[in-house]
Amino acid sequence: MSKLAGKTITLAHGAGGKAMRELIDEVFVKGFANPELANLEDQARFDLTELIAQGNRLALTTDSYVVDPLFFPGGDIGKLAVTGTVNDLAMSGAVPLYLTCGMILEEGFAIDELIKIVASMKATADATGVKIVTGDTKVVHKGAVDKCFINTAGVGVIPAHIQIAATQAQVGDKIIINGFIGDHGAAIVDARGELALESSILSDCQPLHDLVQTMLKVCPQIHCLRDATRGGVATVLNEFAQSSQVGIKLQHSVIPVRDEVRGMCEILGLDPLYLANEGKLVAVVPPEYADLLLAAMRAHPAGLASAIIGEVQATPKARVLLNTGFGGERLLDMLVGEQLPRIC
């Protein structure tokens, strides 16, 4: 058990002295447990020879995570931070390797909860095959942040033959997603206890790097790939349509949405296509690969409910249309405003 168990964060834990060193040693060095971090240098150092052997380009990403509550059905802010950054790397076709971790902690935050968050980050990183190799800790006055904010940056290596970009959608391409949409956004609403639903909705928070590597083995020519986090599937597809200057048409009847999520959206007047996800990707792929790729995705644990939900068209350029199933179409614009606060 940590010597800090049962205690709370104080301003001294961010002041650079003995209290901060004890926090780093007891929580982060022990929790993340790898030789690169244990050196406690101001930077992590890597052998370029090993990186070059895996690819010819580096992928670098960063993201900050704020969520209320910190612990929710299917995950927590720690799992979310590792998963989100790993997925951002994976969407380029990169193999994720290393993460950083920056913590901003509120004075009075329970160290026991921080230890749980670090343990969750470590477990997720181990399962993903990445290491958390350097970091930073700041403590602010009570009320300046909501308990705990996390920033993570990630480094991965992209194999030489992979060329994925939002500008590469082509007419005739098929749109594929890897399962039910809106689970994360719905789970956060449910976790706040505002709806008293009969059955709990689980977040879809999961790493997607292995699914992406499986997809690339079947279809190395994936044109566009992105995880549908804030703004949901509709916003991602608008980004593709605008970047590639093409039209995209979706079929409402084949988009997978859980009954619980659909019901919650009907109660609150929300659209599942705009809800946040933390374990769903949107792929734009050549039509000749679509069926084979779909079968491979459905054989993977992260893609059991994968579906082809639409295709790329020549017109209307930079627009996304939804076939409603009632003989009509409606325009799906990018998310306007903030639909659900503090979801990722």
Side-chain angles (χ1 to χ4, degrees), residues 161-174:
H161 63 285
I162 302 300
Q163 300 290 338
I164 300 172
T167 58
Q168 294 189 157
Q170 300 177 20
V171 174
D173 283 353
K174 300 297 183 181

Side-chain angles (χ1 to χ4, degrees), residues 1-6 22-23 25-27 30 111-112 115:
M1 178 180 292
S2 170
K3 292 187 292 186
L4 297 177
E22 184 178 48
L23 179 71
D25 286 343
E26 287 293 312
V27 177
K30 285 185 178 179
I111 292 180
D112 286 348
I115 291 172

Side-chain angles (χ1 to χ4, degrees), residues 22-293:
E22 184 178 48
L23 179 71
I24 291 171
D25 286 343
E26 287 293 312
V27 177
F28 299 117
V29 174
K30 285 185 178 179
F32 293 143
N34 64 71
E36 291 85 357
L37 182 64
N39 289 329
L40 290 180
E41 299 287 355
D42 286 336
Q43 70 292 122
R45 305 170 190 183
F46 314 111
D47 185 340
L48 290 179
T49 305
E50 294 180 7
L51 298 180
I52 293 171
Q54 299 182 62
N56 66 344
R57 288 159 294 158
L58 288 179
L60 173 66
T61 188
T62 186
D63 209 341
S64 298
Y65 298 87
V66 296
V67 65
D68 179 25
L70 296 178
F71 300 88
F72 48 84
D76 56 76
I77 191 172
K79 180 180 181 182
L80 190 64
V82 174
T83 295
T85 302
V86 163
N87 289 349
D88 283 346
L89 291 171
M91 295 307 114
S92 69
V95 178
L97 297 175
Y98 304 109
L99 301 184
T100 71
C101 174
M103 291 275 188
I104 301 179
L105 305 174
E106 181 186 22
E107 178 188 14
F109 183 53
I111 292 180
D112 286 348
E113 290 199 1
L114 179 60
I115 291 172
K116 291 179 183 178
I117 290 168
V118 169
S120 179
M121 294 182 74
K122 169 66 171 173
T124 308
D126 286 349
T128 310
V130 301
K131 292 182 179 180
I132 301 170
V133 293
T134 190
D136 183 58
T137 305
K138 294 292 185 293
V139 178
V140 297
H141 289 279
K142 190 171 183 63
V145 301
D146 188 1
K147 303 181 186 69
C148 173
F149 294 170
I150 302 177
N151 174 271
T152 48
V155 175
V157 179
I158 306 174
H161 63 285
I162 302 300
Q163 300 290 338
I164 300 172
T167 58
Q168 294 189 157
Q170 300 177 20
V171 174
D173 283 353
K174 300 297 183 181
I175 313 297
I176 304 180
I177 58 175
N178 65 308
F180 296 100
I181 65 171
D183 288 0
H184 180 70
I188 297 302
V189 173
D190 185 25
R192 292 173 184 165
E194 298 169 356
L195 294 180
L197 299 178
E198 292 183 2
S199 60
S200 179
I201 300 172
L202 297 180
S203 169
D204 63 343
C205 186
Q206 62 178 336
L208 297 173
H209 66 296
D210 191 64
L211 174 63
V212 172
Q213 294 303 312
T214 297
M215 294 167 64
L216 288 170
K217 289 177 182 177
V218 174
C219 178
Q221 294 80 30
I222 291 175
H223 289 157
C224 310
L225 194 61
R226 193 160 289 175
D227 54 334
T229 52
R230 284 174 296 178
V233 170
T235 296
V236 166
L237 289 174
N238 270 277
E239 292 169 349
F240 291 161
Q242 292 173 15
S243 295
S244 296
Q245 284 297 293
V246 295
I248 291 176
K249 179 178 283 190
L250 304 183
Q251 299 296 324
H252 181 271
S253 61
V254 297
I255 299 173
V257 183
R258 298 186 195 277
D259 290 340
E260 300 93 329
V261 174
R262 194 184 305 277
M264 188 208 74
C265 287
E266 290 175 356
I267 292 171
L268 298 180
L270 303 175
D271 188 335
L273 284 164
Y274 292 96
L275 285 183
N277 309 274
E278 287 296 340
K280 296 298 178 296
L281 59 79
V282 183
V284 180
V285 304
E288 62 269 24
Y289 285 96
D291 290 337
L292 189 61
L293 185 57

